[in-house]
Amino acid sequence: MIRNSRLADSEEESQPLLGAYGSDATKRDDRSQAHRFHLAGRGRYTSTVVMALCTFVNYAAFSLLAPFYPQVVAEKKEAAADTEVGVVMGSINVAAFISSIVFGRYMHRIGVKFLVVAGAFIVGGSTLIFGFVCDIGNWTAFIALSSAIRFIMGVGEGAFDTTSIAVGLTMFPARTATVWSVFEVAAGLGIITGPPLGGFLYDTKGFPIPFIVVGSIILLSVIFLLGLIPTINKASSERAVSVWPLLKILPIVMTCLSVFWSSATLGMLTTTISVYLKRTFQWTPTKISTAIVTNSAVYGISALVFGRLADATNPRVILSAGMVLRGCGLLLVGPSFVFTSLAPKPWLVYIAMVAMGSGAAAIQVSAGLVIIQSAIARGYQDDLSLNGCVSGLVLGTVFFALAIGSPVGGALTVKFGFRYSTSFMAFILLAQAAANLVMTIAQSRCPISRQTPGLPIN
């Protein structure tokens, strides 16, 4: 297993950068950082489970308003208000993108326990307060306050997600992808649960109740987080890891691009898939929801499988396989114009949903491990600072892609049609997968020092 210093001995310096996966050069050992936390044995598992459960509730709050908020906005304006709804929905992604990057860099200085607790408190408080915006009569004030509250919620979401994942990775460094998959499953289940829960509570009790109920649950969870989140022994030699030097490393840039394109397609489909299915097959909202839930359910199940595979094998292969699966799913959902003899069919939609869900899971759970291994191979210390920076980088990329994927994807669909826009995104994903594989093969055959000079850690 890898030594505590995480640096290679002189005889290992000539090993191929990417050929070393699974060797001492890039393996991470659960024992190497356990002493940093005042936890032992089951305490690490308990803390991780509690943070994952809080992630589930946070993402339920994230998607809670989807079934009814557009209707409320339209009733207030008595006209089409798609732009305003888009601004309110998208503001949380913009805020989460910014806060993920910032808190990922500085979490070891601010304090991990403070960020986890404060993040959950902000998400819970803003969710609860959002329940009362419907009482505002002025249209401009209603939209402005809705956007501001969602923006604040995004700040809390970014702080909580980035820090909780970083803590999990630091407690279980030998199971990076598996830990990441646990949080991805929790987030996916939360996004699935939020809309039906919000719709049910809205139909039975009115606008404020969904936000009051879920917000109160999140605030209650803060009490458990205070008691269960570990304190950390700061290493005197630990220094903040900046995102920008990491982005000078080609494998990391390629991995971030993979995450970006995968998440951008999610943003595009969020905006367009419901309209396409209704127009093409005259599906009811229930049937459309079934297809979307299929995608999310496959994502959750396959995330755990791909997480274990990424930890046990080369995560770059898992990443590229995910790109291929997601690209093929996008080609089938339309289906693409390249399939001239293939007409739209409901069964094709479900096959596409399975392919896209499993592909997204493979990309998301393997990306963090690829970036961490690439950074360690360049001489970065394997510690909380690196984990925080990587967590912030991956999550920031996801939120940024979601923020721009919806409007850009919607615009592409309006101009070129659903089949052409999904085909365009599929070709990008497949090209990215091919580039990833070529780079993996090429670098595995080219010896390179793992302590490349000129890449500062500051």
Side-chain angles (χ1 to χ4, degrees):
M1 301 300 288
I2 189 167
R3 291 164 295 282
N4 291 342
S5 65
R6 302 293 202 229
L7 299 177
D9 290 335
S10 58
E11 67 272 14
E12 294 172 325
E13 284 302 307
S14 61
Q15 292 299 316
L17 174 61
L18 299 180
Y21 287 132
S23 72
D24 284 352
T26 52
K27 269 191 176 181
R28 313 180 77 207
D29 186 349
D30 274 355
R31 295 169 298 176
S32 64
Q33 300 183 61
H35 69 280
R36 302 283 309 283
F37 292 90
H38 297 303
L39 284 176
R42 295 180 181 177
R44 296 184 298 161
Y45 293 94
T46 303
S47 297
T48 303
V49 168
V50 170
M51 289 188 294
L53 289 174
C54 290
T55 299
F56 165 77
V57 183
N58 286 354
Y59 275 86
F62 178 92
S63 60
L64 196 65
L65 73 174
F68 58 87
Y69 184 77
Q71 175 187 340
V72 172
V73 173
E75 290 173 354
K76 278 184 170 290
K77 192 176 182 182
E78 297 181 353
D82 293 343
T83 302
E84 290 86 345
V85 172
V87 170
V88 174
M89 296 290 196
S91 59
I92 190 170
N93 290 321
V94 175
F97 158 64
I98 298 171
S99 62
S100 295
I101 298 296
V102 173
F103 293 131
R105 175 174 169 79
Y106 295 107
M107 71 169 59
H108 76 292
R109 295 181 181 177
I110 300 172
V112 293
K113 186 168 187 174
F114 173 81
L115 280 177
V116 170
V117 173
F121 182 82
I122 291 170
V123 172
S126 57
T127 301
L128 194 152
I129 294 171
F130 196 90
F132 300 97
V133 298
C134 196
D135 296 333
I136 300 173
N138 182 273
W139 168 254
T140 303
F142 168 72
I143 291 298
L145 190 58
S146 294
S147 301
I149 294 174
R150 292 281 287 182
F151 188 91
I152 294 170
M153 181 180 178
V155 172
E157 193 73 60
F160 180 88
D161 289 352
T162 302
T163 311
S164 59
I165 291 176
V167 170
L169 298 182
T170 307
M171 290 191 295
F172 298 97
R175 285 167 275 185
T176 298
T178 302
V179 170
W180 208 301
S181 70
V182 169
F183 286 98
E184 288 299 321
V185 170
L189 291 175
I191 290 175
I192 295 173
T193 305
L197 176 62
F200 172 76
L201 292 176
Y202 174 79
D203 289 339
T204 55
K205 296 294 183 179
F207 187 90
I209 299 303
F211 303 100
I212 293 174
V213 170
V214 176
S216 298
I217 292 173
I218 297 173
L219 291 176
L220 183 63
S221 72
V222 171
I223 299 174
F224 295 95
L225 292 172
L226 281 169
L228 292 172
I229 298 303
T231 55
I232 183 169
N233 296 317
K234 293 184 179 180
S236 59
S237 60
E238 188 170 289
R239 302 168 65 185
V241 178
S242 174
V243 167
W244 310 119
L246 288 179
L247 291 177
K248 296 177 183 178
I249 302 174
L250 180 59
I252 293 178
V253 174
M254 297 289 282
T255 303
C256 289
L257 284 174
S258 301
V259 174
F260 174 84
W261 290 120
S262 175
S263 301
T265 59
L266 174 60
M268 180 187 73
L269 291 172
T270 301
T271 306
T272 59
I273 188 69
S274 297
V275 176
Y276 170 74
L277 294 177
K278 184 176 181 179
R279 289 177 179 175
T280 305
F281 305 112
Q282 290 75 50
W283 279 5
T284 63
T286 301
K287 286 188 176 180
I288 294 173
S289 298
T290 302
I292 295 173
V293 168
T294 299
N295 177 275
S296 301
V298 170
Y299 178 92
I301 295 170
S302 57
L304 294 173
V305 175
F306 283 122
R308 296 297 297 270
L309 285 174
D311 281 331
T313 62
N314 188 334
R316 287 189 180 282
V317 175
I318 304 299
L319 180 70
S320 297
M323 299 290 286
V324 172
L325 281 170
R326 192 151 180 82
C328 290
L330 285 168
L331 289 176
L332 292 175
V333 71
S336 171
F337 64 89
V338 300
F339 303 123
T340 55
S341 61
L342 195 59
K345 299 288 183 182
W347 60 268
L348 270 179
V349 172
Y350 281 97
I351 292 176
M353 290 297 177
V354 171
M356 288 190 292
S358 57
I363 295 166
Q364 198 65 27
V365 302
S366 60
L369 180 55
V370 171
I371 295 174
I372 289 173
Q373 289 183 335
S374 298
I376 294 173
R378 292 314 203 278
Y380 283 79
Q381 278 192 320
D382 185 6
D383 55 22
L384 178 66
S385 293
L386 177 61
N387 293 334
C389 185
V390 171
S391 174
L393 177 59
V394 173
L395 292 175
T397 302
V398 170
F399 287 122
F400 178 69
L402 290 174
I404 68 173
S406 294
V408 173
L412 285 173
T413 302
V414 169
K415 186 171 181 61
F416 301 106
F418 183 81
R419 297 178 73 178
Y420 279 88
S421 60
T422 52
S423 298
F424 173 73
M425 296 301 293
F427 295 149
I428 291 178
L429 287 168
L430 294 174
Q432 182 73 52
N436 288 349
L437 285 174
V438 168
M439 183 183 64
T440 300
I441 295 171
Q443 291 195 350
S444 66
R445 295 177 177 178
C446 297
I448 183 172
S449 172
R450 292 185 289 106
Q451 299 185 52
T452 304
L455 294 174
I457 304 176
N458 51 27

Short mmCIF file of all heavy atoms in Angstrom, two decimals, residues 40-90:
data_model
loop_
_atom_site.label_atom_id
_atom_site.label_comp_id
_atom_site.label_asym_id
_atom_site.label_seq_id
_atom_site.Cartn_x
_atom_site.Cartn_y
_atom_site.Cartn_z
N ALA A 40 -13.09 6.47 15.08
CA ALA A 40 -12.50 5.16 14.88
C ALA A 40 -13.60 4.19 14.48
O ALA A 40 -14.73 4.31 14.91
CB ALA A 40 -11.81 4.68 16.17
N GLY A 41 -13.25 3.22 13.64
CA GLY A 41 -14.16 2.14 13.29
C GLY A 41 -15.49 2.63 12.76
O GLY A 41 -15.59 3.31 11.75
N ARG A 42 -16.55 2.28 13.50
CA ARG A 42 -17.91 2.56 13.04
C ARG A 42 -18.23 4.05 13.00
O ARG A 42 -19.16 4.46 12.34
CB ARG A 42 -18.91 1.85 13.95
CG ARG A 42 -18.83 0.33 13.87
CD ARG A 42 -19.83 -0.33 14.79
NE ARG A 42 -19.73 -1.78 14.74
CZ ARG A 42 -20.46 -2.60 15.49
NH1 ARG A 42 -21.34 -2.09 16.35
NH2 ARG A 42 -20.32 -3.90 15.38
N GLY A 43 -17.47 4.84 13.73
CA GLY A 43 -17.74 6.27 13.74
C GLY A 43 -17.63 6.88 12.36
O GLY A 43 -18.40 7.77 11.99
N ARG A 44 -16.68 6.41 11.57
CA ARG A 44 -16.52 6.92 10.21
C ARG A 44 -17.73 6.57 9.36
O ARG A 44 -18.22 7.39 8.57
CB ARG A 44 -15.25 6.36 9.57
CG ARG A 44 -13.96 6.79 10.25
CD ARG A 44 -12.76 6.27 9.48
NE ARG A 44 -12.74 4.80 9.43
CZ ARG A 44 -12.05 4.09 8.55
NH1 ARG A 44 -11.34 4.71 7.62
NH2 ARG A 44 -12.07 2.78 8.59
N TYR A 45 -18.23 5.35 9.51
CA TYR A 45 -19.39 4.92 8.74
C TYR A 45 -20.64 5.70 9.17
O TYR A 45 -21.44 6.10 8.33
CB TYR A 45 -19.62 3.42 8.92
CG TYR A 45 -18.53 2.57 8.32
CD1 TYR A 45 -17.46 2.13 9.08
CD2 TYR A 45 -18.58 2.22 6.97
CE1 TYR A 45 -16.45 1.35 8.51
CE2 TYR A 45 -17.58 1.44 6.40
CZ TYR A 45 -16.52 1.01 7.18
OH TYR A 45 -15.53 0.24 6.62
N THR A 46 -20.80 5.90 10.46
CA THR A 46 -21.96 6.64 10.96
C THR A 46 -21.97 8.07 10.42
O THR A 46 -23.00 8.56 9.96
CB THR A 46 -21.97 6.66 12.50
OG1 THR A 46 -21.97 5.33 12.99
CG2 THR A 46 -23.20 7.38 13.02
N SER A 47 -20.82 8.72 10.47
CA SER A 47 -20.74 10.10 9.98
C SER A 47 -21.06 10.16 8.49
O SER A 47 -21.78 11.06 8.03
CB SER A 47 -19.34 10.66 10.23
OG SER A 47 -19.07 10.74 11.61
N THR A 48 -20.54 9.21 7.72
CA THR A 48 -20.78 9.20 6.28
C THR A 48 -22.26 8.97 5.97
O THR A 48 -22.84 9.63 5.10
CB THR A 48 -19.94 8.12 5.59
OG1 THR A 48 -18.55 8.36 5.89
CG2 THR A 48 -20.13 8.14 4.09
N VAL A 49 -22.88 8.04 6.69
CA VAL A 49 -24.31 7.76 6.47
C VAL A 49 -25.16 8.98 6.80
O VAL A 49 -26.08 9.33 6.06
CB VAL A 49 -24.75 6.54 7.31
CG1 VAL A 49 -26.27 6.41 7.31
CG2 VAL A 49 -24.12 5.27 6.76
N VAL A 50 -24.86 9.64 7.91
CA VAL A 50 -25.63 10.83 8.30
C VAL A 50 -25.47 11.93 7.25
O VAL A 50 -26.46 12.59 6.87
CB VAL A 50 -25.19 11.32 9.69
CG1 VAL A 50 -25.80 12.70 10.00
CG2 VAL A 50 -25.61 10.33 10.76
N MET A 51 -24.26 12.16 6.78
CA MET A 51 -24.06 13.18 5.75
C MET A 51 -24.78 12.81 4.45
O MET A 51 -25.33 13.69 3.76
CB MET A 51 -22.56 13.39 5.50
CG MET A 51 -21.84 14.08 6.64
SD MET A 51 -20.12 14.53 6.26
CE MET A 51 -19.36 12.90 6.10
N ALA A 52 -24.80 11.52 4.12
CA ALA A 52 -25.51 11.09 2.92
C ALA A 52 -27.02 11.29 3.07
O ALA A 52 -27.70 11.72 2.12
CB ALA A 52 -25.20 9.62 2.63
N LEU A 53 -27.56 11.00 4.25
CA LEU A 53 -28.99 11.23 4.48
C LEU A 53 -29.33 12.71 4.39
O LEU A 53 -30.38 13.09 3.84
CB LEU A 53 -29.38 10.68 5.86
CG LEU A 53 -29.41 9.15 6.00
CD1 LEU A 53 -29.66 8.75 7.44
CD2 LEU A 53 -30.47 8.55 5.09
N CYS A 54 -28.46 13.56 4.91
CA CYS A 54 -28.68 15.00 4.80
C CYS A 54 -28.60 15.45 3.33
O CYS A 54 -29.35 16.34 2.90
CB CYS A 54 -27.65 15.76 5.63
SG CYS A 54 -27.89 15.59 7.41
N THR A 55 -27.71 14.82 2.58
CA THR A 55 -27.64 15.11 1.14
C THR A 55 -28.95 14.77 0.46
O THR A 55 -29.45 15.52 -0.39
CB THR A 55 -26.49 14.32 0.49
OG1 THR A 55 -25.25 14.69 1.09
CG2 THR A 55 -26.42 14.57 -1.00
N PHE A 56 -29.53 13.64 0.84
CA PHE A 56 -30.83 13.24 0.29
C PHE A 56 -31.90 14.30 0.55
O PHE A 56 -32.63 14.71 -0.37
CB PHE A 56 -31.24 11.91 0.92
CG PHE A 56 -32.69 11.55 0.73
CD1 PHE A 56 -33.14 11.07 -0.48
CD2 PHE A 56 -33.60 11.71 1.76
CE1 PHE A 56 -34.48 10.75 -0.67
CE2 PHE A 56 -34.93 11.40 1.59
CZ PHE A 56 -35.37 10.91 0.37
N VAL A 57 -32.00 14.77 1.78
CA VAL A 57 -33.03 15.76 2.12
C VAL A 57 -32.73 17.09 1.44
O VAL A 57 -33.64 17.78 0.96
CB VAL A 57 -33.13 15.93 3.65
CG1 VAL A 57 -34.25 16.92 3.99
CG2 VAL A 57 -33.38 14.60 4.33
N ASN A 58 -31.46 17.47 1.37
CA ASN A 58 -31.09 18.73 0.71
C ASN A 58 -31.51 18.74 -0.76
O ASN A 58 -32.02 19.74 -1.27
CB ASN A 58 -29.58 18.95 0.82
CG ASN A 58 -29.15 19.37 2.20
OD1 ASN A 58 -29.97 19.61 3.08
ND2 ASN A 58 -27.85 19.46 2.42
N TYR A 59 -31.28 17.63 -1.44
CA TYR A 59 -31.64 17.58 -2.86
C TYR A 59 -33.14 17.42 -3.06
O TYR A 59 -33.67 17.81 -4.11
CB TYR A 59 -30.86 16.47 -3.56
CG TYR A 59 -29.50 16.95 -4.00
CD1 TYR A 59 -28.41 16.90 -3.14
CD2 TYR A 59 -29.31 17.48 -5.27
CE1 TYR A 59 -27.16 17.35 -3.53
CE2 TYR A 59 -28.07 17.94 -5.68
CZ TYR A 59 -27.00 17.88 -4.80
OH TYR A 59 -25.77 18.36 -5.20
N ALA A 60 -33.84 16.86 -2.08
CA ALA A 60 -35.30 16.88 -2.13
C ALA A 60 -35.80 18.32 -2.07
O ALA A 60 -36.72 18.70 -2.79
CB ALA A 60 -35.88 16.05 -0.99
N ALA A 61 -35.17 19.13 -1.21
CA ALA A 61 -35.52 20.55 -1.14
C ALA A 61 -35.17 21.27 -2.43
O ALA A 61 -35.89 22.17 -2.88
CB ALA A 61 -34.78 21.20 0.04
N PHE A 62 -34.07 20.85 -3.05
CA PHE A 62 -33.62 21.42 -4.32
C PHE A 62 -34.69 21.29 -5.41
O PHE A 62 -34.93 22.22 -6.18
CB PHE A 62 -32.33 20.70 -4.73
CG PHE A 62 -31.73 21.12 -6.03
CD1 PHE A 62 -30.78 22.13 -6.08
CD2 PHE A 62 -32.09 20.51 -7.22
CE1 PHE A 62 -30.21 22.52 -7.29
CE2 PHE A 62 -31.53 20.89 -8.42
CZ PHE A 62 -30.59 21.90 -8.46
N SER A 63 -35.34 20.12 -5.48
CA SER A 63 -36.30 19.84 -6.55
C SER A 63 -37.75 19.94 -6.11
O SER A 63 -38.66 19.64 -6.89
CB SER A 63 -36.04 18.44 -7.11
OG SER A 63 -36.20 17.46 -6.09
N LEU A 64 -37.98 20.36 -4.90
CA LEU A 64 -39.31 20.35 -4.29
C LEU A 64 -40.34 21.14 -5.09
O LEU A 64 -41.50 20.74 -5.23
CB LEU A 64 -39.21 20.92 -2.87
CG LEU A 64 -40.35 20.69 -1.90
CD1 LEU A 64 -40.49 19.20 -1.59
CD2 LEU A 64 -40.08 21.45 -0.60
N LEU A 65 -39.94 22.28 -5.63
CA LEU A 65 -40.88 23.21 -6.25
C LEU A 65 -41.17 22.93 -7.72
O LEU A 65 -42.00 23.61 -8.34
CB LEU A 65 -40.36 24.64 -6.11
CG LEU A 65 -39.16 25.09 -6.98
CD1 LEU A 65 -38.93 26.58 -6.78
CD2 LEU A 65 -37.93 24.30 -6.76
N ALA A 66 -40.51 21.93 -8.30
CA ALA A 66 -40.62 21.70 -9.75
C ALA A 66 -42.05 21.49 -10.25
O ALA A 66 -42.42 22.04 -11.29
CB ALA A 66 -39.75 20.51 -10.15
N PRO A 67 -42.92 20.74 -9.54
CA PRO A 67 -44.25 20.47 -10.11
C PRO A 67 -45.21 21.66 -10.08
O PRO A 67 -46.13 21.72 -10.90
CB PRO A 67 -44.79 19.33 -9.24
CG PRO A 67 -43.65 18.84 -8.43
CD PRO A 67 -42.72 20.00 -8.30
N PHE A 68 -45.04 22.58 -9.15
CA PHE A 68 -46.07 23.60 -8.97
C PHE A 68 -45.58 25.04 -9.06
O PHE A 68 -46.39 25.95 -9.31
CB PHE A 68 -46.76 23.40 -7.61
CG PHE A 68 -45.83 23.46 -6.42
CD1 PHE A 68 -45.51 24.66 -5.81
CD2 PHE A 68 -45.28 22.30 -5.90
CE1 PHE A 68 -44.67 24.71 -4.73
CE2 PHE A 68 -44.43 22.34 -4.81
CZ PHE A 68 -44.12 23.55 -4.22
N TYR A 69 -44.29 25.29 -8.90
CA TYR A 69 -43.83 26.68 -8.90
C TYR A 69 -44.06 27.38 -10.25
O TYR A 69 -44.49 28.54 -10.27
CB TYR A 69 -42.35 26.75 -8.50
CG TYR A 69 -41.84 28.18 -8.38
CD1 TYR A 69 -42.15 28.95 -7.27
CD2 TYR A 69 -41.07 28.75 -9.38
CE1 TYR A 69 -41.70 30.25 -7.16
CE2 TYR A 69 -40.62 30.05 -9.28
CZ TYR A 69 -40.94 30.80 -8.16
OH TYR A 69 -40.50 32.10 -8.08
N PRO A 70 -43.79 26.72 -11.40
CA PRO A 70 -44.10 27.40 -12.67
C PRO A 70 -45.55 27.81 -12.79
O PRO A 70 -45.88 28.87 -13.33
CB PRO A 70 -43.72 26.34 -13.72
CG PRO A 70 -42.69 25.50 -13.05
CD PRO A 70 -43.12 25.43 -11.62
N GLN A 71 -46.46 26.97 -12.27
CA GLN A 71 -47.88 27.29 -12.31
C GLN A 71 -48.19 28.50 -11.43
O GLN A 71 -48.96 29.38 -11.81
CB GLN A 71 -48.69 26.08 -11.83
CG GLN A 71 -50.17 26.32 -11.70
CD GLN A 71 -50.90 25.13 -11.07
OE1 GLN A 71 -50.38 24.01 -11.05
NE2 GLN A 71 -52.09 25.37 -10.55
N VAL A 72 -47.56 28.56 -10.26
CA VAL A 72 -47.77 29.70 -9.36
C VAL A 72 -47.28 30.99 -10.01
O VAL A 72 -47.95 32.03 -9.94
CB VAL A 72 -47.06 29.45 -8.01
CG1 VAL A 72 -47.08 30.71 -7.14
CG2 VAL A 72 -47.68 28.28 -7.27
N VAL A 73 -46.13 30.94 -10.64
CA VAL A 73 -45.58 32.12 -11.31
C VAL A 73 -46.51 32.57 -12.44
O VAL A 73 -46.79 33.76 -12.59
CB VAL A 73 -44.17 31.82 -11.86
CG1 VAL A 73 -43.66 32.98 -12.70
CG2 VAL A 73 -43.20 31.54 -10.72
N ALA A 74 -46.99 31.62 -13.24
CA ALA A 74 -47.88 31.97 -14.35
C ALA A 74 -49.18 32.60 -13.84
O ALA A 74 -49.71 33.54 -14.46
CB ALA A 74 -48.18 30.73 -15.17
N GLU A 75 -49.71 32.10 -12.73
CA GLU A 75 -50.94 32.65 -12.18
C GLU A 75 -50.74 34.07 -11.67
O GLU A 75 -51.63 34.92 -11.81
CB GLU A 75 -51.45 31.76 -11.05
CG GLU A 75 -51.98 30.41 -11.53
CD GLU A 75 -52.31 29.49 -10.38
OE1 GLU A 75 -52.02 29.86 -9.21
OE2 GLU A 75 -52.85 28.40 -10.63
N LYS A 76 -49.58 34.34 -11.12
CA LYS A 76 -49.32 35.68 -10.62
C LYS A 76 -49.17 36.69 -11.75
O LYS A 76 -49.62 37.83 -11.66
CB LYS A 76 -48.05 35.70 -9.75
CG LYS A 76 -48.27 35.25 -8.31
CD LYS A 76 -47.00 35.38 -7.52
CE LYS A 76 -47.27 35.17 -6.04
NZ LYS A 76 -48.04 36.29 -5.45
N LYS A 77 -48.53 36.26 -12.83
CA LYS A 77 -48.29 37.17 -13.95
C LYS A 77 -49.44 37.15 -14.95
O LYS A 77 -49.62 38.09 -15.73
CB LYS A 77 -46.99 36.80 -14.67
CG LYS A 77 -46.52 37.86 -15.65
CD LYS A 77 -45.19 37.49 -16.26
CE LYS A 77 -44.70 38.60 -17.20
NZ LYS A 77 -43.42 38.26 -17.86
N GLU A 78 -50.21 36.07 -14.93
CA GLU A 78 -51.32 35.88 -15.87
C GLU A 78 -50.82 35.91 -17.31
O GLU A 78 -51.45 36.46 -18.20
CB GLU A 78 -52.42 36.92 -15.65
CG GLU A 78 -53.06 36.82 -14.27
CD GLU A 78 -54.17 37.84 -14.08
OE1 GLU A 78 -54.35 38.68 -14.99
OE2 GLU A 78 -54.86 37.78 -13.06
N ALA A 79 -49.65 35.38 -17.51
CA ALA A 79 -49.05 35.31 -18.85
C ALA A 79 -47.89 34.33 -18.79
O ALA A 79 -47.49 33.86 -17.71
CB ALA A 79 -48.55 36.68 -19.29
N ALA A 80 -47.33 34.02 -19.95
CA ALA A 80 -46.17 33.13 -19.98
C ALA A 80 -45.01 33.74 -19.22
O ALA A 80 -44.72 34.93 -19.35
CB ALA A 80 -45.76 32.86 -21.43
N ALA A 81 -44.37 32.93 -18.39
CA ALA A 81 -43.29 33.45 -17.54
C ALA A 81 -42.13 32.47 -17.51
O ALA A 81 -41.50 32.28 -16.47
CB ALA A 81 -43.82 33.71 -16.13
N ASP A 82 -41.82 31.86 -18.66
CA ASP A 82 -40.76 30.86 -18.71
C ASP A 82 -39.40 31.44 -18.34
O ASP A 82 -38.59 30.79 -17.68
CB ASP A 82 -40.69 30.25 -20.11
CG ASP A 82 -41.94 29.43 -20.43
OD1 ASP A 82 -42.67 29.08 -19.49
OD2 ASP A 82 -42.18 29.15 -21.62
N THR A 83 -39.15 32.67 -18.77
CA THR A 83 -37.85 33.29 -18.49
C THR A 83 -37.67 33.48 -16.99
O THR A 83 -36.61 33.17 -16.43
CB THR A 83 -37.74 34.64 -19.20
OG1 THR A 83 -37.90 34.44 -20.61
CG2 THR A 83 -36.39 35.28 -18.92
N GLU A 84 -38.71 33.99 -16.33
CA GLU A 84 -38.62 34.23 -14.89
C GLU A 84 -38.43 32.93 -14.12
O GLU A 84 -37.64 32.87 -13.16
CB GLU A 84 -39.87 34.97 -14.39
CG GLU A 84 -39.97 36.41 -14.85
CD GLU A 84 -40.63 36.53 -16.23
OE1 GLU A 84 -40.73 35.50 -16.93
OE2 GLU A 84 -41.03 37.65 -16.60
N VAL A 85 -39.16 31.90 -14.53
CA VAL A 85 -39.01 30.60 -13.87
C VAL A 85 -37.59 30.08 -14.06
O VAL A 85 -36.97 29.55 -13.13
CB VAL A 85 -40.03 29.59 -14.43
CG1 VAL A 85 -39.74 28.18 -13.91
CG2 VAL A 85 -41.45 30.00 -14.06
N GLY A 86 -37.04 30.24 -15.26
CA GLY A 86 -35.68 29.81 -15.53
C GLY A 86 -34.66 30.52 -14.67
O GLY A 86 -33.70 29.92 -14.19
N VAL A 87 -34.87 31.82 -14.44
CA VAL A 87 -33.96 32.59 -13.60
C VAL A 87 -33.99 32.07 -12.17
O VAL A 87 -32.95 31.87 -11.52
CB VAL A 87 -34.32 34.09 -13.64
CG1 VAL A 87 -33.54 34.85 -12.57
CG2 VAL A 87 -34.03 34.66 -15.02
N VAL A 88 -35.20 31.84 -11.65
CA VAL A 88 -35.33 31.36 -10.27
C VAL A 88 -34.73 29.97 -10.12
O VAL A 88 -33.98 29.69 -9.18
CB VAL A 88 -36.81 31.36 -9.84
CG1 VAL A 88 -36.97 30.72 -8.46
CG2 VAL A 88 -37.36 32.78 -9.82
N MET A 89 -35.04 29.09 -11.07
CA MET A 89 -34.53 27.71 -11.00
C MET A 89 -33.01 27.67 -11.17
O MET A 89 -32.32 26.89 -10.52
CB MET A 89 -35.19 26.86 -12.10
CG MET A 89 -36.68 26.68 -11.95
SD MET A 89 -37.10 25.63 -10.55
CE MET A 89 -38.80 25.23 -10.95
N GLY A 90 -32.48 28.51 -12.04
CA GLY A 90 -31.06 28.47 -12.34
C GLY A 90 -30.18 29.17 -11.34
O GLY A 90 -28.97 28.90 -11.28
#
